[in-house]
Amino acid sequence: MEKLCIRGGAPLRGTVTISGAKNSAVALIPASILAESPVIIDNLPHINDVQIYIDILQELGATVQLDGSSLYIDPTNISPKPLLNGKVQMLRASYYLMGAMLGRFREAVIGLPGGCNLGPRPIDQHMKGFEAMGATIESQDGALSLSASHLHGEKVYLDVVSVGATINIMLAAARAEGLTIIENAAKEPEIIDVATLLTSMGATIKGAGTDIIRITGVPKLLGCRHSIIPDRIEAGTYMIAAAITGGDVTIEQIIPRHLEGITAKLEEMGIQVIEEDESIRVIGDRPHTYRSVDVRTGPYPGFATDLQQPITSLLSLSRGTSIVTDNIYTTRFRHVDELGRMGAQIKVEGRSAIIKGAQGLKGARVKASDLRAGAALVVAGLAAKGITEIAGVEHIDRGYDMLEEKLKALGAEIWRKDERVNSHGA
Ligand code: EPU
């Protein structure tokens, strides 16, 4: 079993370049299924979720070639083969195969998605959209079978603001007949990214990035070339890492506007954040000089739930008591006990973590239960005294491109070890 080891204490200094957004990549790759000629996606992050999606597309019959950060996908020979288990159960975003296959073939049989265990993650709003557009859905043996003899535009009001449902409905609607209107749509930058790709493929989409999106279906979409937006969650993680180590880091190739939630909170804590056109510089101090703040997650442009876990690590070292409330995933607190092993003083009450600033963190053996819990432990480990050993590295590898290389270049002492190799002395 692999572990990530960090000897904490070194202030991070230098420049880090942010990769393409994971949550865009895992929607853009299945979106390519809707085209009938090759699509090239640039600025692809090298993460496991992307590799899994590449394998799934190949299994469906696509020709796929990865050249550095560019992915060539020829979806011409894809067939609507049922994908009951295996890779589809390894990631959350496999649900986008439903919208994309429905749009192109009017049918899909897809196993229920996997992904991080963050408590209940229903997909009822995706289904509500597909049904409104004329699809029949049957659930059988852990898979959903969708078909539509006449896939047509419809008005769909989302009962909860959902990134996944907004994108999935947009995918199906791009090749449905007539006008689909998504009301109470999610406004995340990744939604605009998918709409941009679809528009370059020939779709007609208005309002992406607002809460009403209008999609006029077209009979055919063609390939194009598209570059993925920067990963705002990766960028936010490095901003927190800079702050918690009292470092000075410039985070490059980003869209600062996408980071307003985390920028505002760091500034409220008294941390210096300097915004440029395509970069942000975070200049930290000793963490116990930072003010405590309350954080409430919400749909974009609210504070991202995906940064809730990493900012909890930072707040565990600041002055006073902070309350972090997760309104998106109300039980996303599995990192808290692990941070406790490192000396953090955090109590979970309902959907909130109450964090009492501690004098310092100490290295410990901890386990990442999910991707962003892993990020929280990494940033905590960077600030802790001694060595932190993080198990569950596979979760972190799902979403952070070249994490060790990027952190090492900033001066962190971080390495991977294989427990089996070490225990046998090999
Ligand atoms: N929800 C429903 N019904 C639905 C869909 C969602 O009740 O049909 C609820 C969810 O349970 C949750 C809320 O609505 O409480 C928002 O869920 P959303 O659908 O927006 O989440 P998602 O699309 O499944 C994406 C990201 C997550 C990120 C959330 C929120 C991908 C692949 N995943 O998930 O990313 O936390 O949006 O921003 O895009 C991560 O990167 O670590 C991660 C978990």
Side-chain angles (χ1 to χ4, degrees):
M1 194 178 58
E2 272 194 336
K3 284 191 169 184
L4 207 51
C5 302
I6 302 168
R7 188 191 305 276
L12 300 189
R13 292 190 196 286
T15 298
V16 61
T17 302
I18 297 306
S19 303
K22 159 187 168 279
N23 288 343
S24 273
V26 295
L28 296 168
I29 297 172
S32 71
I33 292 175
L34 288 161
E36 279 171 47
S37 54
V39 174
I40 298 172
I41 301 174
D42 295 317
N43 200 27
L44 197 77
H46 299 97
I47 52 175
N48 280 356
D49 274 11
V50 160
Q51 189 51 53
I52 294 169
Y53 237 128
I54 292 176
D55 295 346
I56 292 176
L57 252 57
Q58 281 175 326
E59 206 178 321
L60 288 170
T63 304
V64 185
Q65 279 157 18
L66 182 60
D67 179 9
S69 299
S70 295
L71 182 67
Y72 167 94
I73 305 168
D74 184 351
T76 318
N77 296 323
I78 282 185
S79 67
K81 173 179 162 188
L83 292 173
L84 299 176
N85 41 41
K87 304 254 168 182
V88 288
Q89 289 172 326
M90 292 167 75
L91 80 170
R92 183 83 197 145
S94 54
Y95 51 42
Y96 292 135
L97 291 166
M98 299 178 191
M101 302 278 258
L102 204 54
R104 173 142 173 215
F105 300 109
R106 305 310 197 231
E107 60 176 288
V109 183
I110 310 289
L112 286 170
C116 288
N117 179 358
L118 310 175
R121 299 181 77 182
I123 54 168
D124 57 303
Q125 298 302 306
H126 306 228
M127 298 307 125
K128 177 181 169 177
F130 296 149
E131 279 177 336
M133 296 169 72
T136 306
I137 303 169
E138 280 170 35
S139 166
Q140 226 179 6
D141 303 330
L144 292 176
S145 168
L146 302 92
S147 62
S149 50
H150 177 214
L151 191 70
H152 57 85
E154 193 51 77
K155 190 189 272 192
V156 183
Y157 175 84
L158 297 181
D159 300 316
V160 285
V161 179
S162 159
V163 176
T166 303
I167 293 179
N168 230 343
I169 295 167
M170 215 160 67
L171 294 176
R175 285 190 62 171
E177 221 174 277
L179 175 69
T180 299
I181 303 176
I182 310 175
E183 293 181 334
N184 199 27
K187 297 184 276 201
E188 270 67 2
E190 292 74 21
I191 289 160
I192 304 179
D193 209 20
V194 176
T196 306
L197 172 85
L198 292 173
T199 306
S200 305
M201 280 162 52
T204 309
I205 303 178
K206 300 260 183 296
T210 75
D211 56 8
I212 300 187
I213 306 179
R214 290 183 168 78
I215 308 119
T216 307
V218 292
K220 195 170 174 176
L221 292 172
L222 294 172
C224 64
R225 188 160 196 153
H226 176 86
S227 183
I228 303 181
I229 58 165
D231 195 311
R232 62 198 166 94
I233 307 301
E234 186 196 18
T237 305
Y238 284 99
M239 289 171 76
I240 293 169
I244 202 169
T245 60
D248 180 348
V249 177
T250 301
I251 295 131
E252 283 192 335
Q253 265 183 47
I254 55 161
I255 301 174
R257 193 166 34 85
H258 293 170
L259 289 152
E260 276 168 4
I262 180 69
T263 298
K265 282 296 151 189
L266 295 186
E267 286 178 337
E268 236 176 280
M269 293 176 74
I271 298 157
Q272 205 183 338
V273 182
I274 302 167
E275 273 186 35
E276 300 285 347
D277 284 352
E278 291 183 359
S279 69
I280 285 184
R281 180 173 170 198
V282 176
I283 305 171
D285 199 340
R286 282 156 303 150
H288 69 266
T289 64
Y290 301 154
R291 285 188 286 276
S292 54
V293 294
D294 293 342
V295 175
R296 291 185 191 86
T297 70
Y300 187 83
F303 191 93
T305 169
D306 297 340
L307 289 174
Q308 176 266 107
Q309 291 156 297
I311 203 171
T312 297
S313 302
L314 176 61
L315 292 170
S316 75
L317 284 175
S318 60
R319 210 166 4 107
T321 301
S322 307
I323 302 178
V324 172
T325 305
D326 201 321
N327 295 313
I328 306 289
Y329 296 113
T330 52
T331 59
R332 195 176 198 175
F333 291 115
R334 297 211 291 162
H335 56 302
V336 162
D337 284 349
E338 303 305 300
L339 288 175
R341 289 178 207 280
M342 300 176 70
Q345 295 176 37
I346 310 174
K347 202 169 63 179
V348 176
E349 279 184 15
R351 57 176 63 185
S352 298
I354 298 153
I355 307 151
K356 203 166 147 229
Q359 274 305 314
L361 295 175
K362 54 183 189 313
R365 289 178 171 219
V366 290
K367 189 166 192 303
S369 53
D370 56 81
L371 169 59
R372 309 301 172 187
L377 296 172
V378 168
V379 295
L382 290 169
K385 196 157 182 246
I387 296 177
T388 299
E389 283 190 17
I390 307 171
V393 184
E394 65 282 4
H395 295 292
I396 302 173
D397 289 340
R398 288 188 39 220
Y400 285 90
D401 187 4
M402 298 197 298
L403 180 76
E404 289 124 275
E405 289 83 347
K406 290 185 184 186
L407 284 174
K408 268 188 206 157
L410 293 172
E413 217 181 311
I414 178 166
W415 66 98
R416 229 169 244 250
K417 79 169 182 188
D418 190 327
E419 199 83 298
R420 282 164 312 186
V421 173
N422 277 359
S423 61
H424 292 93

